[in-house]
Amino acid sequence: MLNKFKFDSKASTLSKLKPILKRSTILKIYSFNRERWNTNKNEIIKKIKTIFNGEVIVRSSAIDEDTTKKSQAGKYLSLSSINSKNTKKLNRSINKVFKSYKNNNLKNEVLIQPMLKNVSSSGVLFTYDNETGSPYYCIEYDELTGFTDTVTAGSNDKSRTLYVLRSRYK
């Protein structure tokens, strides 16, 4: 099934994965592109306040962030622990994430999700070895800090990596 899977923005990819995952959960998703943000900020903020309670993460979802050719995990800004009812902070956070893309492509998106608490481990899955390009699924993960961004931020020297040879995994 994943062989025919087309990777788009992070928001689009997560939305496509959500209904087909059997042993994993993707938290609630709300996304919008720069064009819609530029014309409907108030409507978007209102929708976020309706969908989410408590803290959210305002995540990057640029169209060039994750592709079949390369991953740019951690390249763009994501802001965590934002109060979903605070209009001013939401607005400022969304603008900062869009600004981190360094271009004004109207298709670039921002992804809003609930802030995950009590994390036992988190990480990044690569479909190739990031260092050598070898055909391994590489899962770099942090099971020590309880934070969700240490791997992508490169701020955890105690992360672990699991390698699975792709040709052996079916």
Side-chain angles (χ1 to χ4, degrees):
M1 173 160 271
L2 288 178
N3 291 345
K4 297 177 183 177
F5 194 85
K6 183 179 182 309
F7 290 91
D8 297 311
S9 67
K10 184 187 304 175
S12 173
T13 299
L14 289 173
S15 294
K16 288 175 187 175
L17 283 172
K18 193 170 178 137
I20 63 173
L21 291 177
K22 303 289 185 234
R23 296 183 182 167
S24 302
T25 302
I26 294 176
L27 298 178
K28 199 179 299 182
I29 296 169
Y30 180 66
S31 64
F32 47 90
N33 63 28
R34 182 186 293 274
E35 182 175 28
R36 201 163 139 238
W37 176 249
N38 289 344
T39 58
N40 297 304
K41 285 182 180 134
N42 292 335
E43 175 189 312
I44 290 168
I45 295 289
K46 186 176 178 180
K47 185 81 169 176
I48 293 168
K49 288 179 171 187
T50 302
I51 295 172
F52 300 99
N53 287 312
E55 293 182 333
V56 295
I57 183 164
V58 179
R59 301 182 69 189
S60 63
S61 184
I63 57 173
D64 69 340
E65 193 166 3
D66 297 314
T67 68
T68 54
K69 301 281 187 230
K70 63 181 175 177
S71 170
Q72 297 193 80
K75 179 178 181 179
Y76 300 117
L77 184 65
S78 288
L79 297 167
S80 58
S81 302
I82 307 299
N83 182 331
S84 64
K85 306 302 181 196
N86 185 327
T87 300
K88 191 174 184 180
K89 195 153 189 171
L90 277 171
N91 200 336
R92 189 173 32 225
S93 299
I94 292 165
N95 283 326
K96 283 181 180 179
V97 171
F98 274 128
K99 188 175 181 181
S100 75
Y101 298 155
K102 308 285 190 260
N103 70 57
N104 292 320
N105 188 322
L106 296 177
K107 293 181 181 179
N108 280 331
E109 298 172 321
V110 163
L111 166 63
I112 310 292
Q113 289 187 282
M115 189 65 205
L116 194 56
K117 304 284 185 182
N118 302 316
V119 177
S120 59
S121 68
S122 68
V124 175
L125 167 71
F126 298 95
T127 55
Y128 287 89
D129 182 319
N130 209 24
E131 305 275 323
T132 66
S134 298
Y136 290 90
Y137 291 112
C138 300
I139 304 167
E140 187 175 348
Y141 63 99
D142 167 3
E143 60 183 358
L144 300 174
T145 68
F147 296 114
T148 59
D149 62 350
T150 56
V151 172
T152 56
S155 61
N156 181 5
D157 61 356
K158 293 182 177 46
S159 67
R160 297 174 183 229
T161 305
L162 172 67
Y163 296 93
V164 179
L165 183 60
R166 283 192 285 127
S167 63
R168 301 278 186 214
Y169 183 75
K170 300 253 183 219

